[in-house]
Amino acid sequence: MQKLMTTGEIAKLLQGKVLGDAALSIQSLAKIEEAGPKDLSFIANPKYVRFLDESRAGAILVGPGIARKAGTVIVVDNPYLSFVKLFEVFFPEVREVAIGVHAAAVVDKTAELGEGVAIGACCVIEAGAKIGADTILYPNTHVGRDAEIGKQCIVYSNVSLRYGVRIGDRVVIQNGAVIGSDGFGFAAESNVFRKIPQVGIVVIEDDVEIGANTTIDRATLGQTRICRGTKIDNLCQIAHNVTIGEHCVIAAQTGIAGSTAIGNRCQLGGQVGIVGHLKIGDGAMFAAQTGVSNNVAAGTVVSGSPSRPIAHWKRIEASLNRLPELLKRVRELEKQLESQSATVDEKSS
Amino acid sequence: MQKLMTTGEIAKLLQGKVLGDAALSIQSLAKIEEAGPKDLSFIANPKYVRFLDESRAGAILVGPGIARKAGTVIVVDNPYLSFVKLFEVFFPEVREVAIGVHAAAVVDKTAELGEGVAIGACCVIEAGAKIGADTILYPNTHVGRDAEIGKQCIVYSNVSLRYGVRIGDRVVIQNGAVIGSDGFGFAAESNVFRKIPQVGIVVIEDDVEIGANTTIDRATLGQTRICRGTKIDNLCQIAHNVTIGEHCVIAAQTGIAGSTAIGNRCQLGGQVGIVGHLKIGDGAMFAAQTGVSNNVAAGTVVSGSPSRPIAHWKRIEASLNRLPELLKRVRELEKQLESQSATVDEKSS
Amino acid sequence: MQKLMTTGEIAKLLQGKVLGDAALSIQSLAKIEEAGPKDLSFIANPKYVRFLDESRAGAILVGPGIARKAGTVIVVDNPYLSFVKLFEVFFPEVREVAIGVHAAAVVDKTAELGEGVAIGACCVIEAGAKIGADTILYPNTHVGRDAEIGKQCIVYSNVSLRYGVRIGDRVVIQNGAVIGSDGFGFAAESNVFRKIPQVGIVVIEDDVEIGANTTIDRATLGQTRICRGTKIDNLCQIAHNVTIGEHCVIAAQTGIAGSTAIGNRCQLGGQVGIVGHLKIGDGAMFAAQTGVSNNVAAGTVVSGSPSRPIAHWKRIEASLNRLPELLKRVRELEKQLESQSATVDEKSS
């Protein structure tokens, strides 16, 4: 299954140039510190240049002007992107789910399946669901009534898509994700909590990726919406009526509470928490574990729980290291002043 | 599928009164800022009253004494609860799982199913399990041996209920939740960890709701117990032997460690963490991201990690903003005193 | 199904000694505060000795030298381990999944199954997968192409094992866990994020336990690796290319970001977050909710977010309680010095 290419063929594919042996046979790709004589590796970050001569890699992708004492390099403009491009050559995607409907899948007769759709075993697709061309559903996934999935999506195993959710084109949904679960809405009524029906939907736009075991709740009314190009990592919680703008990146275990609206191109680190009903401006960035309970202006970088602008937060954190000592210094000052005033009293008496 | 009602019919249903056009045809419900001329909306919060005249809503539910310059209102005692009541009219629940056992479900012959039970495709129900009348199991759910589920429950798809767990009546379990997984118990023995069998169960009382992908571990011995009326959001972790009292509300991504006992009517914000073996009194409240490592008295409101009574925590947080400046001020005081004593020394000399 | 044994028989099994009635019939095991006259309990912790005389337990396992006014005790060297040993006697494991392949499972004809393997209903096993002897797969689990699972593993229901992951022997995987989901890797390219194929694998060594709904991402290239004996609790996130050493214990809802390497015998509390590309030394310990953004030396104990050595963190936290008051004290000092210098000015004038 392993692909074999020479360094010369690789250089041609990448529009690069071999310095050294252009006939070297490359079997696989590897990280610079793990690569052996049959592997191609890369160096993109100048701080790894020391690996150039240490590495056992058969050949190394490098940027212009980088030399290696012994051994072969392939010079390209962007070593990292070129390396990643080779992933598709050396690790071609393996089709696990055959086109068509597996005999052990259960597809309602009113569901509409596009051309080239692949439905894995033990998938269950309810009435009125629509699945676009070339979309792949891995086994054990449930697609609720009237849910719509676009074209060329990949939905991995054990995913739950509830009633009426709408998924765009080229969306990737990792295993175990839940889209369209009930929002967490209850009204206190004579000392018990009565469930507020959650009758809205979830809309996931094109080119979004949803991480494993992430949960996205349906809106109470209207839509919970993830706009195009946004990438959400594993185990995130997106509550009812949240809107997340375009091309955001949201790291794992982050939670966004109900009705909060996040702008475009925001970046959230892991384990960030944002309370409900806030507005987060375009391009705002959040360090890991940030806790947000106020609106954040566009372009702001924040950190801490409660969150503060990051420069202010860093100053406070640095100061905190000196707080125990500060208490002593203040006590010392008080003593000095007391003894001064005692001296003064003495002198006055 | 859309329900059509006139404002007059709606007012009659809600025991309210139309001011304006009682013959207006309403097609759907919408939030005040999104509503169009065929929609009914509501205003419950006085701070949204400005929307009364801005909104394009065909009609608006309002409380007594609230007027609108142009357009129709329906006056009711509690606009929010009246609005929610209309959800069931305009968005009637759609039955996705037919009553009976789907041909592609696997139900052990010793399992007992009540009247009106609906078992979805690819559900697997083990020996000795009991499922109460009118309960619905969505596809791909697994019910372990001797597990018991009460009446009128809804268990969504991809849920795992392990061996012997006991679920009460009218319980709702969102997709992907796991109830009865092994508690995290290991004994260190000659430098490795030996698993302590987790032989207890989980008991979920009546009217509880469990969020998507939430995990509730079985007890080491005895019970992990969620008492009646408590609502738990998505991605929460409830460890072995935890007890959660009645009518608590626990927001997403909160974790409660082993053997902690939480009282009745407690409210926990998102991403709260409570360590093991604590007692939390009735009515205690926890701000989002609170980290708790000590018992909390009944009725206390806490925040921060480590947690503090909220008023104290707020004072500290406010003071923190001034900490970097405080360091400078103390340095200044020290200088002044040094120069004073230098002056004194000079004078004395 | 309940086992009946006399106190004498239990003492013999545990190589202990009965003080009191050796013919007492024991029906079950219970915690000291919940035990009744037919139950055996234990006291391992000296702080619970007061329960000895309060408890209604028929008999109590105790360490040497501990007496009870009335009632029977069984004296053993290690009451806790002896008690846990009895779990297997009183709560023998029940086989839920029959040996062989369930008629409703879907196993590719190229998959290799060892002797004694049990495959539950609605499991789906792809081409080239290998499952070792005596391993049990609960229902609704998906095993991807070429994935390998060792001997005597238990994989609970609704688990997703993706393409090519490698699981060792005696591994336990709780329900809903996802192993081998795509790492969260995207390259910014002309203002959108392009997915970097994640072509590496996940390796789980022998005797590891993975918690419910925990997610472990496949490596971008190479391996994400969990070394032998490590125990990971529920809802944890292990990112691509992370390495976790041997015999670590990682509590629930902890997240470890990409390429971080954790040493052997580390202990992480719940909701800990560790950013990417760090090195954590052997035996490091992390309090719950710790946030780590720097390397941690072997044997260090840290707490807080951002993390600090725990003694330093405790001093800061203690000081924080006095911060609001400190601000007042400094203001007071400033006033005194101002009034001094005013007095001095007055005198000088």
Side-chain angles (χ1 to χ4, degrees), chain B residues 29-313:
Chain B
L29 308 178
K31 286 192 287 183
I32 192 78
E33 64 272 32
E34 294 169 358
K38 304 275 186 186
D39 294 328
L40 176 75
S41 193
F42 77 103
I43 286 180
N45 191 326
K47 78 176 179 186
Y48 292 116
V49 165
R50 62 184 170 90
F51 279 115
L52 259 184
D53 296 315
E54 288 173 20
S55 174
R56 295 172 53 247
I60 303 177
L61 291 180
V62 297
I66 296 182
R68 193 182 180 191
K69 279 184 197 147
T72 299
V73 298
I74 302 174
V75 183
V76 292
D77 283 342
N78 186 328
Y80 179 61
L81 285 186
S82 292
F83 189 68
V84 165
K85 198 173 174 185
L86 293 176
F87 282 16
E88 286 154 29
V89 177
F90 282 87
F91 305 93
E93 226 172 299
V94 175
R95 173 167 279 277
E96 291 185 81
V97 186
I99 289 175
V101 176
H102 193 284
V106 177
V107 180
D108 189 275
K109 63 183 186 297
T110 65
E112 294 176 25
L113 308 187
E115 275 206 29
V117 161
I119 309 286
C122 300
C123 282
V124 180
I125 300 179
E126 306 289 353
K130 293 195 177 86
I131 300 180
D134 301 319
T135 282
I136 302 171
L137 266 62
Y138 277 69
N140 292 309
T141 276
H142 179 228
V143 179
R145 191 171 176 130
D146 295 325
E148 295 181 20
I149 308 177
K151 296 175 199 162
Q152 297 169 37
C153 294
I154 303 177
V155 182
Y156 286 100
S157 55
N158 288 308
V159 165
S160 303
L161 304 178
R162 290 265 294 270
Y163 174 75
V165 302
R166 301 210 310 248
I167 314 287
D169 296 337
R170 296 172 304 280
V171 169
V172 176
I173 303 179
Q174 301 288 331
N175 310 69
V178 175
I179 299 180
S181 38
D182 286 350
F184 195 62
F186 302 90
E189 229 183 33
S190 45
N191 253 351
V192 306
F193 292 99
R194 196 165 73 92
K195 185 177 177 76
I196 296 169
Q198 304 289 307
V199 300
I201 62 169
V202 175
V203 177
I204 310 277
E205 296 186 358
D206 297 344
D207 300 302
V208 165
E209 177 148 350
I210 307 291
N213 283 345
T214 278
T215 58
I216 303 180
D217 281 350
R218 65 194 313 112
T220 308
L221 194 67
Q223 303 177 352
T224 304
R225 179 176 280 263
I226 315 294
C227 296
R228 72 191 164 94
T230 281
K231 314 297 183 185
I232 300 179
D233 201 354
N234 299 344
L235 292 168
C236 290
Q237 152 70 358
I238 313 294
H240 48 181
N241 294 91
V242 164
T243 301
I244 299 178
E246 300 178 358
H247 306 298
C248 293
V249 175
I250 299 181
Q253 295 179 317
T254 283
I256 301 172
S259 299
T260 282
I262 294 184
N264 299 324
R265 299 182 193 283
C266 292
Q267 302 204 1
L268 286 70
Q271 298 182 338
V272 167
I274 305 186
V275 306
H277 297 275
L278 297 186
K279 279 209 181 340
I280 308 297
D282 291 349
M285 296 177 71
F286 301 80
Q289 291 193 335
T290 298
V292 185
S293 51
N294 288 295
N295 293 339
V296 173
T300 318
V301 183
V302 299
S303 186
S305 175
S307 64
R308 294 179 166 92
I310 197 159
H312 184 40
W313 176 82

Side-chain angles (χ1 to χ4, degrees), chain A residues 28-77:
Chain A
S28 192
L29 309 177
K31 287 191 285 183
I32 192 75
E33 64 271 33
E34 294 169 358
K38 304 275 187 187
D39 294 327
L40 176 76
S41 192
F42 78 104
I43 286 181
N45 190 326
K47 78 175 178 186
Y48 292 115
V49 166
R50 61 184 170 90
F51 279 115
L52 260 183
D53 298 314
E54 288 173 21
S55 175
R56 295 170 55 246
I60 304 178
L61 292 179
V62 297
I66 296 182
R68 191 182 182 192
K69 279 182 198 149
T72 299
V73 298
I74 303 174
V75 184
V76 292
D77 284 342

Side-chain angles (χ1 to χ4, degrees), chain C residues 220-232:
Chain C
T220 308
L221 194 68
Q223 303 176 352
T224 303
R225 180 176 279 265
I226 315 294
C227 295
R228 72 192 164 93
T230 281
K231 314 298 183 187
I232 301 178

Side-chain angles (χ1 to χ4, degrees), chain A residues 138-214:
Chain A
Y138 277 69
N140 291 311
T141 276
H142 179 227
V143 179
R145 190 170 176 131
D146 295 324
E148 296 181 19
I149 308 177
K151 297 174 198 161
Q152 297 169 38
C153 295
I154 304 177
V155 182
Y156 286 100
S157 55
N158 287 310
V159 165
S160 303
L161 303 178
R162 289 265 295 268
Y163 172 76
V165 302
R166 302 210 308 248
I167 315 287
D169 296 337
R170 297 172 304 280
V171 171
V172 177
I173 304 179
Q174 301 289 332
N175 311 69
V178 175
I179 299 180
S181 38
D182 286 349
F184 196 62
F186 302 90
E189 230 184 33
S190 45
N191 254 351
V192 306
F193 291 99
R194 196 164 73 92
K195 185 176 176 75
I196 296 168
Q198 303 290 306
V199 300
I201 61 169
V202 175
V203 177
I204 309 276
E205 295 186 359
D206 297 345
D207 301 302
V208 166
E209 177 149 350
I210 307 291
N213 283 346
T214 278

